[in-house]
Amino acid sequence: MTSAIDFYFDFASPYGYFASTCIDDIASRNGRGVAWHPILLDIVYKVNGTGAPVQHPIKTEYLKNDVARTARFHGIDYKRPTHFPIPTQAAERAVLWVQDHRGGDLSAEFAKSIFRALYVDDVNIGDPAELVRLGEALGIDGAALDIGMHSPAAKDHLKAEIDLAMARGVFGSPFVIVDGEPFWGFDRFAQVEACLKHGRI
Amino acid sequence: MTSAIDFYFDFASPYGYFASTCIDDIASRNGRGVAWHPILLDIVYKVNGTGAPVQHPIKTEYLKNDVARTARFHGIDYKRPTHFPIPTQAAERAVLWVQDHRGGDLSAEFAKSIFRALYVDDVNIGDPAELVRLGEALGIDGAALDIGMHSPAAKDHLKAEIDLAMARGVFGSPFVIVDGEPFWGFDRFAQVEACLKHGRI
């Protein structure tokens, strides 16, 4: 197998951030590429009628602690964002605009830098000016990105990504599909790697 | 630290079964014992207003596959039960009756045999006669168990376990508490072990 594996994420998902720090390495050491797919969980939860996993008070405190602990356990840089929850539409449209105009490799780097900005450097990634700044640091034309992320084409692309994700059974973040096999959650990444290595588990 | 760690589970939870196959080993190799606490998730979900994680059709199929795959990944015996979903009150009251009358070690063995009966040998553990048979195989007086599991004392004990679990923030199965630190899910067992080994993560 040499086709890409599919990685679905929302910048609003800290476990999606954890996944973003290692998904490319996991895939590449097994001879595979990664297709990065930003989606909006708010829409996915609403359409599926599942609700967000953190919406119940009893889980909120647990998950806050679990996120920080899981970062420490895996040695991942993490600082709880002050800008949270945060709207992620602009960031996701920006990533897709870069994907459409500069290709998948640069857009994946851009997505990683947005994740890191939010979960390490406490940047307000809901602010388009911050997205432009992050894009320019990677050599992306800031003025074109600013226009592009607000374009109807970028909006349509994100909507289509979300529709396709739901059609494929995606219901959370991170969500990885390897040759038709779905894996939900950063805690399934050992299984993702086993599946890449052995074809099946 | 030498005090017991707390292990909350419902026989209705396959991930609780996975946890039951290794929690005693994880604790004992770190010099700790385990307090086994059966709870009824239906009540926990209802009181907390969270709903069951499998109640949404889009997740049901995913989780069915994930349970079987996770068993294979960890090398745990598993056969999808035909008696499922299954009422677990009688089994949980029976375990608590054994705990109250024969002690924690035998009741933990009994709980493991009930888990295995359901998830490996496809036994209908909702049937009190099957619980008596499983108890007798461990040297428990079947007639006394049959009366005991239906006694007001056993019902009161289970109700009190559930109330206490919720007061401690338990909202799923398996759920482990190590010196005040809560861990939800079989996929957090590597973190449970790290916490036992190092005091914190």
Side-chain angles (χ1 to χ4, degrees):
Chain A
M1 293 281 185
T2 53
S3 62
I5 66 173
D6 293 294
F7 170 46
Y8 288 90
F9 63 93
D10 186 335
F11 289 114
S13 157
Y15 301 107
Y17 159 59
F18 300 160
S20 79
T21 66
C22 59
I23 186 74
D24 279 344
D25 287 344
I26 290 173
S28 75
R29 66 177 170 248
N30 291 284
R32 303 286 286 265
V34 179
W36 288 57
H37 302 281
I39 54 168
L40 291 171
L41 287 177
D42 277 352
I43 294 178
V44 172
Y45 294 151
K46 198 171 164 188
V47 172
N48 285 334
T50 55
V54 296
Q55 77 184 7
H56 303 96
I58 197 166
K59 290 190 185 175
T60 309
E61 195 58 30
Y62 174 85
L63 288 173
K64 188 173 142 183
N65 181 46
D66 185 66
V67 165
R69 188 175 65 198
T70 297
R72 290 195 302 273
F73 182 71
H74 292 279
I76 299 169
D77 288 343
Y78 172 77
K79 189 174 164 297
R80 186 171 164 76
T82 51
H83 310 279
F84 204 85
I86 198 163
T88 58
Q89 292 96 318
E92 304 200 344
R93 290 170 186 159
V95 167
L96 291 173
W97 182 85
V98 173
Q99 204 176 91
D100 289 337
H101 294 267
R102 298 286 305 273
D105 285 355
L106 186 60
S107 74
E109 287 313 306
F110 186 38
K112 284 182 221 180
S113 81
I114 295 171
F115 264 129
R116 191 170 172 89
L118 177 57
Y119 292 106
V120 180
D121 301 324
D122 203 19
V123 171
N124 178 4
I125 63 142
D127 177 358
E130 295 286 5
L131 296 169
V132 166
R133 194 181 58 75
L134 290 167
E136 287 177 336
L138 293 172
I140 298 163
D141 179 333
L145 177 61
D146 198 19
I147 294 168
M149 78 172 94
H150 297 100
S151 66
K155 290 181 188 181
D156 288 349
H157 191 158
L158 180 55
K159 190 179 174 306
E161 281 286 2
I162 297 166
D163 287 346
L164 181 57
M166 289 190 291
R168 298 182 76 191
V170 173
F171 55 80
S173 164
F175 204 104
V176 174
I177 302 178
V178 179
D179 308 319
E181 183 80 7
F183 297 89
W184 172 41
F186 179 59
D187 35 40
R188 288 295 177 274
F189 269 40
Q191 294 189 28
V192 167
E193 178 134 34
C195 183
L196 284 168
K197 202 163 283 176
H198 307 297
R200 74 180 295 277
I201 294 167
Chain B
M1 294 280 186
T2 52
S3 62
I5 65 174
D6 293 294
F7 170 46
Y8 288 90
F9 63 92
D10 185 336
F11 289 115
S13 157
Y15 301 106
Y17 159 59
F18 300 159
S20 78
T21 66
C22 57
I23 186 73
D24 278 344
D25 287 344
I26 290 172
S28 74
R29 66 178 170 247
N30 290 283
R32 302 287 286 265
V34 179
W36 288 57
H37 302 281
I39 53 169
L40 291 172
L41 286 177
D42 278 351
I43 293 178
V44 171
Y45 293 151
K46 198 172 164 187
V47 173
N48 284 333
T50 55
V54 296
Q55 77 184 8
H56 302 96
I58 199 167
K59 291 190 184 174
T60 309
E61 196 58 32
Y62 175 83
L63 288 173
K64 187 173 141 184
N65 182 46
D66 184 66
V67 164
R69 188 174 66 197
T70 297
R72 290 194 301 272
F73 182 71
H74 292 279
I76 299 169
D77 288 343
Y78 172 78
K79 189 174 165 296
R80 185 171 163 76
T82 51
H83 309 279
F84 204 84
I86 198 165
T88 57
Q89 292 97 317
E92 304 201 345
R93 290 171 185 159
V95 166
L96 291 173
W97 182 86
V98 172
Q99 203 176 93
D100 289 337
H101 293 269
R102 297 287 306 273
D105 285 356
L106 186 60
S107 74
E109 287 313 305
F110 185 38
K112 284 183 222 181
S113 81
I114 295 170
F115 263 128
R116 192 170 172 88
L118 176 57
Y119 292 106
V120 180
D121 301 324
D122 203 18
V123 171
N124 178 5
I125 63 141
D127 178 357
E130 295 286 4
L131 297 170
V132 166
R133 194 181 58 75
L134 291 166
E136 286 177 337
L138 293 172
I140 297 163
D141 178 332
L145 176 63
D146 197 19
I147 294 167
M149 78 172 96
H150 297 101
S151 67
K155 290 181 187 180
D156 288 348
H157 191 159
L158 180 56
K159 189 178 174 306
E161 281 284 4
I162 297 167
D163 287 346
L164 181 57
M166 289 191 291
R168 298 182 77 190
V170 173
F171 55 79
S173 163
F175 204 103
V176 174
I177 302 179
V178 179
D179 308 321
E181 183 80 8
F183 297 89
W184 172 41
F186 179 58
D187 34 42
R188 287 296 177 272
F189 268 41
Q191 294 189 29
V192 167
E193 178 135 36
C195 183
L196 285 168
K197 201 163 286 178
H198 307 297
R200 74 180 294 278
I201 293 168

